């Protein structure tokens, strides 16, 4: 986990789920060559420019992601989540997002709607304030912009 501090409208939790630690080498034709460290950096730069600090966490474990969402209550003012494949399977993540009542932006690097049918359904979208798909890693900066706007 990495954290930044900046003059402060509050903290944003930046959560990445399973296999996103492999960004940069994983299926670059779909996900590009940007690494997770680069993604966390670009998101933090965008967040700090808008006056937010960030906490960045990646985990391959569903329960760790649930725990991080719970911990955001009281510590963060918004969440950006790319839950990877758990997007399409996890009622637990959906319930966690619902429970903490923080504005949450769901991000997917690829356009999941152009891909296999099982990627078309998200358990998370209905409880997220914003959904961004298919903008590549720039989607994380767009997510910051969405929270900047909704938390104004
Ligand atoms: C993803 C899309 C998911 O379907 C996939 O399982 C991922 C990455 C994306 O960012 O495009 O791991 O969330």
């Amino acid at each position: 986990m990495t954290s930044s501090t900046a003059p402060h409208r509050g903290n944003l939790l930046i959560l990445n789920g399973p296999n996103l630690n492999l960004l940069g080498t994983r299926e670059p034709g779909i996900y590009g060559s940007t690494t997770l460290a680069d993604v966390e950096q670009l998101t933090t730069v965008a967040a700090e420019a808008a006056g937010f600090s960030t906490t960045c966490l990646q985990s391959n474990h569903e329960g760790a992601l649930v725990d991080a969402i719970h911990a955001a209550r009281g510590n963060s003012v918004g969440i950006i989540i790319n839950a990877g494949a758990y997007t399409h399977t996890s009622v637990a993540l959906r319930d966690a997002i619902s429970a903490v009542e923080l504005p949450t932006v769901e991000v997917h690097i690829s356009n999941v709607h152009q891909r296999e049918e099982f990627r078309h359904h998200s358990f998370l979208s209905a409880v997220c304030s914003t959904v961004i798909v298919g903008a590549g890693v720039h989607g994380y900066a767009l997510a910051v912009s969405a929270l900047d706007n909704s938390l104004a």
Side-chain angles (χ1 to χ4, degrees):
M1 189 189 322
T2 57
S3 295
S4 76
T5 50
H8 227 270
R9 288 171 67 195
N11 191 68
L12 302 181
L13 174 63
I14 316 302
L15 264 187
N16 282 286
N19 302 306
L20 291 163
N21 54 312
L22 301 180
L23 275 180
T25 57
R26 173 194 183 198
E27 300 183 84
I30 296 175
Y31 299 114
S33 55
T34 309
T35 65
L36 178 64
D38 293 334
V39 165
E40 292 180 340
Q41 167 79 3
L42 81 81
T43 311
T44 297
V45 166
E48 289 187 347
F52 299 103
S53 59
T54 63
T55 300
C56 298
L57 178 77
Q58 185 276 331
S59 179
N60 295 320
H61 303 278
E62 187 176 12
L65 297 168
V66 170
D67 287 344
I69 293 167
H70 292 179
R73 181 148 59 176
N75 290 317
S76 294
V77 294
I79 299 172
I80 296 171
I81 182 166
N82 183 346
Y86 290 142
T87 304
H88 317 298
T89 63
S90 180
V91 177
L93 280 177
R94 177 199 180 105
D95 286 351
I97 291 167
S98 212
V100 299
E101 296 182 324
L102 290 169
T104 299
V105 182
E106 175 183 354
V107 173
H108 300 287
I109 295 166
S110 64
N111 182 346
V112 285
H113 300 291
Q114 289 179 341
R115 300 181 64 194
E116 303 94 326
E117 184 125 13
F118 66 83
R119 296 185 203 275
H120 298 181
H121 178 257
S122 166
F123 278 101
L124 311 186
S125 296
V127 295
C128 287
S129 44
T130 306
V131 180
I132 296 167
V133 304
V137 295
H138 182 58
Y140 291 84
L142 296 174
V144 171
S145 177
L147 288 172
D148 180 22
N149 188 57
S150 65
L151 291 165

